Every structure is written in structure tokens, then in C-alpha cells.
Amino acid sequence: MATKTFEYAPGPNLAALNDDPLHGEIMQLSMGPQHPATHGVLRLEVELDGETIRRLEPEVGFLHRGKEKTCESLGWAKFFPHTDRLDYVQPLMNNIGYALALEKLAGIEVPQRGQEIRVLLMEISRIAAHLIYLGTTAIDLGAVSMFFNTFKEREKIYEILDAYTGHRMNNTYVRIGGVFADVDEELEAHLRSFLEGFRGEVDTFEKFLTGNRIWYDRNRDVGTITKDEALAWALTGPNLRGSGVEHDLRKAQPYSGYEDYEFEVPVGTVGDCYDRYLVRVEEMRQSTAIALQALERLKASRGGEVLAEDRRYVLPPKAKVHTSMEELIFQFKIVTDLSLPRGEAYQGIESSKGELGFFVVSDGTSRPVRCHIRAPGLYNVQAIPLVAEGRLFSDMVAIIGSLDFVMGEVDR
Amino acid sequence: MTAPDPANAAPEAAVDTAPENPTETRVRAALDGLEVSFGAAQDAIVCVEFERELLHTVMERLRDSAGFETLTFVTCVDHLASTATEPRFEVVHQLISLAHGDRVRTRVRLTSDDATLASITDLWPGAGFMEREAYDMFGVRFEGHPNLKRLLMPEGYGHHPLRKDFPQQGIEPDRLYREWDRERRKDWNPKES
């Protein structure tokens, strides 16, 4: 048998090069901004040595629409539809994060039933967002049928949201002080049947992937992030938990009554792509459990208010707007010229990508001074070079998929 | 029921007499000996204000002594509209402690003619994009940042869009293009322009 000889000694980080016949040829590659594997308009400047990534620099901003500036010009109330377009696979989650920040600033208490509906919507959104992660990552790694399986389930969620909010995407359904309308019994029944069936579907996804040799080899020990690195690089959410840090804002700093729900926080051990995959799959199961608990609570609180009664900040019910002069005036006043108290507030929520935060500053007038959006996806993009440098180019596709970001939120 | 009238409300209680919260005690102990002042916001997060020279020391002590492991965001607020006086920029850093489950926010005021601040990328490399964004949007320069360039706006863009004196409708790309084009033509034919 002929033995292989190597012309080049492997460099410090380039142990994987031994089999690479192209080693030594440096190539500059511009990947994106229109590349299917970059999950949106992300450009990666890659310097390749054969198949190995020597240097990588992400370039963002191709989808920058100036959301923060838009908030300053539109005012607090009219910015709600724009929050949908941040992380556009989970619009309701963004709505709720923004509403919670404004409620904190104004000191508004959301009624019990309003909070329960919010929890339900957030968990449904989380499932939908994780399904996108699973489908797109799997199709990038060659498992095309997974994409159809996950999108079939996601389609069911969108049909339910369509029936409830009137839109499949970009729902804009949350208001300051609660949600726009109540959940009726028929919708509850649809949700329940979906959620009960979804448990089995998650098991099917796992049957496809978890023990799959190709999936395992492409993900295990790829893109390993240690605990300390994850903290230093400001990673949050499943990316942080995949590295073994048990931190979930729903447990650590509960909002919307999450302290009353029973659920577990899945944590990884190694911090590679495979761990992050396992964490997200388990989160789908936990989200299903939380949503079912929320449905139970909704059964008990039927008939309760879903929107707070505070005519300084909260929109009046639509039925009253059509019949009462005062309510019409309040409606007009709040939509055109809502002013919040002077001060600043920050609210972070556990979105599917990590900590989604809104930092709002008001000077007491109807013009916002600042609305900073702490988008978790931006820091997930920032971590790509950390794990991709020194790895093979094909690993980068797995890494991009497993870090999970949406460019609408990254670029704002 | 009548809402309390803000004009007749009691003046803000002095911070020293208020019951101490555990976060504030921890932060005070960590920042002992530094000239900082404490405040609170509507969201009950402890806020610390200080001069810009102290930033790096404060951040280091908050991380190592007070146990704030990770950085949540770095951003800037332009107070031009409300105060119309210098210093107009307020750079805000917010940290979170996973072990204690609390947050702290720090504020540094900067003037527009000298908007520079120490970078904390050596403490948290994750601050890299955050500081780049603040530089891009407000023009605050972070000294010691390894790669301080624009993050969201295109390279060579001459403005900082989130400043209050940047027009809300933006500066049209075609006008920008014309300006760039005129500059470019100067090199070819100095008689033009």
C-alpha cells in the first residue's frame, strides 16, 4: 500500500489540513449576501487555505431599515407593526417584548388573562421559530425531507395564528396593557389538538436526526463554544445553554407570570452544534408543555379582561370606540400622540434566539428619545469567527445554522 | 379614585435613607473608593454614573468583584433635543449577573467635540459589535477597539444616523451618490465642480 507524504507541516491551528491537497493556496472568498446557506442577507468574507478557514469576517447591515430611528419619528404606539419585522419568524414575541418595556416605563399592570394569552403566544412563536431553525439547518446539511416535515407543522401554527390574529405573519396583535382580543373556545380546541399532536412530531424529528450517523458526524464537536467563551461573547438563549450555562430569563427574571408555570431548562454539556440542536429540540417539548398549561389556565379564567383599563396609555375596546365619544377621543389621542412618563426602562425576554431586549428612554413627551433593541441574533453572528476559524469550510454551514439568527433582527 | 398629581407629589427620597437593595450593596462594595453616583430607573435596575476616565476600571471591578459575568448591551442616547447643552451623549452599558439574577446599568456623559471612550473589548470580546454600532450610529469613538468601523451603514457613509440632528427622512442615497461622484470627478478633471 502506498503511503501518503505531506509537503507542508501542519500549522498551529490547522491540524485538519493533513489530507487537504489544496493546502498552501490562500483564497479569498466572498460568501453572500445572496447565498442560501447564510440564512438571509449576510456576507462573510472568508480567507481559505485549501478547505480550511484561516480568517472569517461577517459583514452585516444589508437589511438595515433604521428601525430605531423610525421609532423616534413615529412615536411609541405606532412602532408596534415595525417590531414584527425584526425577527420575522416570531413577530408576536417581538411585540410582547416591546409592550413589556413600555408597560414597565408607564407602570401598567396587565390583567391575568392577558398575561396567560401572552405566554401562550410566546410559546407558540418559540415553537415556530425553532421549527425554522431545524428545517433550514437540516436542509443545509443535506436532510431535505426534514425541511418539509418541519414546515408542515409550522404551517399548522400559521393557520391557527391566521384564525386568531387575521395574519399569518406580522401579526401586530399585542397592545400596551394586554392583547387586542380574547381567545375563544373554538380556537382553544384547535390549539389543544395541535399541541397534543405536536409532541409526537418532535419525536419523529428526533428519529430522523438524533441517531442519524450523518447528522451526528456533521454536528458533534463542530463549533464548540466553552462556557467562558459564551459569556465573554455575550451569547444568550439556546447558544448559551448549549454550552452548559443554566440561564433562562423565564426562570431567572420572570415576566408575564412565567414563575407560575412548570417547565425545565435543558442544558448542553459540550457546547457544540449537536448540543445546541438537542437543547432546541427539548425546548420545543417544554414550550408545548407551557402552552398546554396556559390553555388550562385560560379555561379557568374565561371571561376575564385581556386589556388593562388605563385610558392614559391603553387603547379602549374597539366596540366602544364606535359608540362613545370619549373612547373615540382616547383612541385618537393614544394612536397619534401617546406620551409615556419621563425616565428609562429595560426589559429583556427569552426569545427563541436569546435575550431580546428593549431599552426605552422617554422625556415625557410623545417623541421617544431612544428605543434601543438588543437583538440576540447580532451577537450570534459575531460569534461565527470564534468557532469557524480553523475549521473546514463545510463545517461553517453547520455552525451558521446552529447559531440561529434572523437578519431582520440583526440589521434592524 | 384620583391619580396623584405629579406636581404635588413628594420630592424624590434621598438615596441614603431608602432601604438598601442587595444589588446596590454589592455594587457599592465593588466600586469602593471610586467617584461614582447611584441612581435608579423605572425598571428598578441599579444605575451608576461616573466620569469617562473611570469606565474601564468600573467595568473590570463589576465583572471581577461584583460578579456581573456578561454584557447585555452598549448603546448611546443623544440628549440634544431635551437639554440642548453639552454633554449631549450618554453612553449606557448594561451588565447581567447570572449567579445573582440581577442587572446593573452604567452611564457616562460625553461632549460632541470629544466623544471618545475606552473600549471594553479586552474584558468582553462580545462588546466588539456593540461598540461598532454605537460608533456607526452616534460617532462615539472607542479607544482600543481592535476593529472600529461601521457596522450597519455602508463604509464611507459620512453621517451618524441616530444623532438627533440627522434628519428623520434620511439623507437620500442618490444625493450621497452625487456627492461621492463629484469628489471622484475632481480627480479626473479639476476644472469641474
Side-chain angles (χ1 to χ4, degrees):
Chain A
M1 192 189 276
T3 50
K4 272 188 179 175
T5 53
F6 302 109
E7 276 181 61
Y8 306 98
N13 278 326
L14 310 176
L17 282 176
N18 285 350
D19 287 333
D20 194 342
L22 290 174
H23 170 47
E25 270 182 47
I26 305 297
M27 184 172 78
Q28 303 277 349
L29 182 73
S30 174
M31 187 175 168
Q34 295 95 6
H35 191 283
T38 56
H39 294 199
V41 281
L42 169 68
R43 178 167 172 263
L44 298 167
E45 248 181 70
V46 192
E47 204 177 287
L48 288 171
D49 179 355
E51 278 279 319
T52 311
I53 298 169
R54 270 172 46 130
R55 195 183 64 82
L56 186 150
E57 194 179 336
E59 193 182 327
V60 298
F62 293 96
L63 201 58
H64 179 57
R65 296 147 294 172
K67 289 292 176 210
E68 293 172 6
K69 191 79 175 175
T70 309
C71 181
E72 288 171 20
S73 86
L74 282 185
W76 297 117
K78 280 190 270 186
F79 188 60
F80 267 102
H82 288 266
T83 58
D84 291 327
R85 277 85 175 162
L86 291 175
D87 186 348
Y88 39 75
V89 301
Q90 46 166 15
L92 288 162
M93 189 91 83
N94 307 330
N95 285 171
I96 293 170
Y98 180 60
L100 282 169
L102 299 188
E103 282 154 13
K104 218 175 208 183
L105 186 57
I108 301 168
E109 195 76 21
V110 180
Q112 186 63 27
R113 190 170 169 83
Q115 292 195 2
E116 287 158 9
I117 294 178
R118 281 187 178 185
V119 169
L120 181 66
L121 295 178
M122 276 192 275
E123 296 310 320
I124 298 276
S125 307
R126 191 185 318 278
I127 293 172
H130 281 350
L131 284 175
I132 296 241
Y133 149 77
L134 198 54
T136 52
T137 308
I139 202 171
D140 285 348
L141 296 182
V144 180
S145 53
M146 271 308 291
F147 185 77
F148 297 107
N149 278 291
T150 54
F151 270 59
K152 197 180 78 195
E153 290 305 303
R154 179 172 164 267
E155 189 61 30
K156 290 180 193 166
I157 294 179
Y158 275 34
E159 274 169 17
I160 290 170
L161 287 180
D162 191 6
Y164 178 40
T165 69
H167 296 264
R168 288 162 52 78
M169 291 177 78
N170 299 337
N171 315 81
T172 319
Y173 209 62
V174 178
R175 302 284 183 270
I176 301 174
V179 293
F180 177 65
D182 206 346
V183 181
D184 64 6
E185 286 172 42
E186 197 186 333
L187 195 77
E188 278 182 38
H190 276 291
L191 269 172
R192 189 179 299 277
S193 77
F194 163 73
L195 289 168
E196 275 162 4
F198 185 68
R199 283 184 173 159
E201 291 297 327
V202 179
D203 294 340
T204 318
F205 300 153
E206 278 222 273
K207 262 182 216 158
F208 270 111
L209 296 178
T210 305
N212 184 322
R213 186 78 231 176
I214 302 170
W215 180 258
Y216 185 87
D217 285 348
R218 290 295 304 270
N219 282 294
R220 187 45 108 188
D221 290 329
V222 172
T224 310
I225 305 174
T226 64
K227 252 185 208 187
D228 291 340
E229 279 173 346
L231 290 173
W233 285 80
L235 290 178
T236 46
N239 295 336
L240 181 64
R241 288 192 287 274
S243 300
V245 182
E246 195 180 342
H247 175 70
D248 189 320
L249 285 175
R250 291 174 290 174
K251 290 269 190 202
Q253 300 179 7
Y255 49 90
S256 293
Y258 265 114
E259 61 273 27
D260 302 332
Y261 294 83
E262 275 176 31
F263 63 100
E264 280 166 20
V265 180
V267 180
T269 46
V270 188
D272 55 6
C273 295
Y274 194 71
D275 269 358
R276 292 194 280 275
Y277 153 75
L278 289 177
V279 164
R280 290 203 178 90
V281 167
E282 185 54 34
E283 270 186 20
M284 284 201 253
R285 291 207 181 89
Q286 297 298 332
S287 290
T288 314
I290 300 172
L292 282 169
Q293 288 173 47
L295 278 178
E296 281 304 308
R297 283 159 191 269
L298 284 174
K299 208 191 265 177
S301 69
R302 180 158 298 136
E305 287 292 319
V306 295
L307 204 55
E309 284 258 358
D310 188 335
R311 290 286 165 268
R312 289 173 300 172
Y313 310 115
V314 184
L315 283 172
K318 205 72 179 173
K320 284 191 189 167
V321 173
H322 294 312
T323 52
S324 142
M325 185 71 187
E326 286 76 22
E327 311 288 347
L328 182 64
I329 293 171
F330 280 127
Q331 160 99 10
F332 183 73
K333 179 94 178 128
I334 288 169
V335 170
T336 57
D337 193 35
L338 173 72
S339 34
L340 294 180
R342 190 189 180 88
E344 61 184 41
Y346 175 82
Q347 173 71 47
I349 66 166
E350 190 69 39
S351 100
S352 67
K353 313 282 184 297
E355 178 177 344
L356 172 69
F358 288 87
F359 176 59
V360 289
V361 184
S362 167
D363 60 354
T365 67
S366 58
R367 291 277 151 249
V369 174
R370 184 89 171 92
C371 171
H372 177 66
I373 302 158
R374 196 261 182 217
L378 183 62
Y379 310 114
N380 298 352
V381 170
Q382 185 176 215
I384 299 174
L386 168 74
V387 284
E389 280 176 5
R391 304 287 315 194
L392 292 178
F393 187 70
S394 52
D395 287 344
M396 195 180 72
V397 177
I399 289 167
I400 289 176
S402 88
L403 285 173
D404 194 22
F405 44 83
V406 165
M407 293 315 283
E409 170 190 73
V410 171
D411 292 343
R412 282 155 290 154
Chain B
M1 202 186 107
T2 54
D5 186 357
N8 296 337
E12 278 178 39
V15 180
D16 294 340
T17 57
E20 286 271 297
N21 84 30
T23 314
E24 198 179 320
T25 320
R26 216 168 76 242
V27 173
R28 270 183 199 279
L31 300 183
D32 194 29
L34 295 177
E35 262 186 61
V36 296
S37 62
F38 282 77
Q42 270 77 354
D43 49 2
I45 293 176
V46 173
C47 295
V48 191
E49 280 183 53
F50 44 83
E51 293 295 312
R52 65 172 171 184
E53 290 76 20
L54 290 177
L55 181 90
H56 200 274
T57 324
V58 168
M59 287 292 154
E60 204 167 359
R61 289 210 201 167
L62 284 177
R63 185 187 68 169
D64 298 336
S65 315
F68 290 95
E69 300 102 335
T70 182
L71 185 65
T72 305
F73 68 80
V74 177
T75 191
C76 184
V77 183
D78 186 356
H79 286 289
L80 182 68
S82 57
T83 60
T85 50
E86 296 288 353
R88 66 184 266 199
F89 295 120
E90 185 181 79
V91 180
V92 182
H93 291 67
Q94 188 170 299
L95 312 178
I96 181 169
S97 163
L98 311 189
H100 299 88
D102 52 10
R103 299 177 190 273
V104 68
R105 190 184 297 148
T106 68
R107 302 195 193 112
V108 180
R109 294 298 286 247
L110 296 176
T111 56
S112 57
D113 55 338
D114 186 21
T116 52
L117 192 65
S119 168
I120 53 164
T121 40
D122 51 334
L123 300 175
W124 288 282
F129 270 21
M130 305 180 187
E131 290 178 351
R132 273 177 69 183
E133 193 191 334
Y135 163 68
D136 188 0
M137 293 294 156
F138 292 92
V140 176
R141 299 196 68 86
F142 291 88
E143 281 169 352
H145 190 291
N147 187 17
L148 191 67
K149 58 182 187 184
R150 287 182 179 272
L151 182 72
L152 298 173
M153 301 305 287
E155 267 176 60
Y157 190 72
H159 311 270
H160 300 290
L162 276 178
R163 287 188 174 191
K164 291 287 180 191
D165 44 12
F166 183 84
Q168 298 278 10
Q169 72 271 23
I171 292 175
E172 317 87 271
D174 58 336
R175 198 173 103 200
L176 266 180
Y177 177 73
R178 283 201 301 274
E179 282 172 15
W180 282 335
D181 199 43
R182 205 178 300 128
E183 287 297 312
R184 195 170 52 126
R185 276 162 191 275
K186 270 183 200 164
D187 297 342
W188 298 344
N189 185 1
K191 278 184 210 164
E192 254 188 58
S193 84

